[in-house]
Amino acid sequence: DTLKMIQNSALNAQKFDHVYLDASFCSPEYAFPPRSEVTRTICHAVSGMDEITILVAIDTLGKEELLLAIGIAANSLVVVDEARFSRMQLYMEENIMKQHFTVDPSKGRVLVVPRRNVSERLDALHGLGVAAVGILPTGWTMAASATPASPTLLTFPYSLHCSYAELVAFVSYLDPVSVSTTVPRTQENVVRAFGERVREFTPIAQDEASV
């Protein structure tokens, strides 16, 4: 899919001196399944969760297609906070927003919560006697140090980032003279993947940013 996207874009047949790469998952263990496959797995899981509150733990932006699919599979509106709802109105179709999303917690049992406090939210609901399950869709579940799933917090390797194989295919196809990672902690991984191409990334100075 990555190569097809490149081949059918303005990037095709161009020469590149330097590529700045978001290399968050530039390590072989990050071999994500296709998002469509993970979506089907998640939807199959939630389709049997009748009368159970479902907390979907994601970041501030992105994964709206997954949220929509989960809501449909659970036969519920997806509850988001007002800030997210306002942002989504800028790029989601109006009829989809009206039919599938709400800011009213009383109208749906699929609740979108920040990833950082999903465990806390689950504990609070369980303490009130509410049957609840958390869904954590993130590429970090593939990391060796990832927190293992629990009976009430299910993790799935769903990521909007490129997998390791896709990153390698992307850089290999573009064939740039040099590569820099915008994520400093990944420098060693990028060196292992791309060898002599790698150059140290220097952020643009504030007074140069507007040039």
Side-chain angles (χ1 to χ4, degrees):
D1 291 345
T2 300
L3 290 182
K4 288 180 181 178
M5 178 185 70
I6 298 170
Q7 292 165 351
N8 295 319
S9 74
L11 296 176
N12 190 34
Q14 301 296 317
K15 298 296 183 182
F16 294 89
D17 294 321
H18 197 88
V19 168
Y20 293 93
L21 192 68
D22 180 347
S24 297
F25 296 106
C26 190
S27 188
E29 68 261 32
Y30 298 115
F32 314 135
R35 284 193 291 273
S36 58
E37 178 181 321
V38 183
T39 298
R40 286 193 297 270
T41 300
I42 295 174
C43 289
H44 177 73
V46 303
S47 64
M49 296 181 183
D50 297 335
E51 308 303 322
I52 295 176
T53 297
I54 301 168
L55 304 187
V56 185
I58 59 176
D59 295 321
T60 306
L61 285 174
K63 302 184 180 176
E64 289 82 8
E65 290 184 358
L66 176 62
L67 294 177
L68 177 61
I70 291 174
I72 292 172
N75 194 28
S76 169
L77 291 178
V78 178
V79 181
V80 299
D81 61 33
E82 292 187 2
R84 181 185 287 272
F85 192 88
S86 296
R87 288 191 297 269
M88 291 172 62
Q89 286 181 310
L90 298 176
Y91 52 85
M92 299 282 285
E93 294 182 14
E94 183 178 358
N95 65 316
I96 290 179
M97 292 298 297
K98 288 182 177 179
Q99 294 174 22
H100 298 284
F101 294 91
T102 182
V103 297
D104 186 348
S106 69
K107 294 184 177 179
R109 58 186 182 85
V110 176
L111 313 180
V112 177
V113 301
R115 187 171 60 176
R116 65 181 179 276
N117 63 7
V118 60
S119 295
E120 179 183 338
R121 293 286 295 272
L122 280 171
D123 289 343
L125 289 171
H126 294 157
L128 295 172
V130 176
V133 169
I135 301 292
L136 180 58
T138 174
W140 296 115
T141 62
M142 306 293 288
S145 59
T147 302
S150 72
T152 57
L153 180 57
L154 310 179
T155 61
F156 298 90
Y158 182 102
S159 179
L160 298 180
H161 285 76
C162 287
S163 66
Y164 175 74
E166 289 172 324
L167 286 172
V168 171
F170 176 76
V171 173
S172 298
Y173 184 85
L174 294 184
D175 194 26
V177 175
S178 59
V179 177
S180 293
T181 173
T182 60
V183 187
R185 60 180 169 73
T186 66
Q187 183 80 4
E188 291 185 6
N189 289 341
V190 174
V191 169
R192 283 194 291 268
F194 306 115
E196 295 181 356
R197 294 177 188 265
V198 179
R199 300 291 181 270
E200 184 176 355
F201 173 63
T202 303
I204 298 175
Q206 187 62 40
D207 57 357
E208 297 175 349
S210 61
V211 175

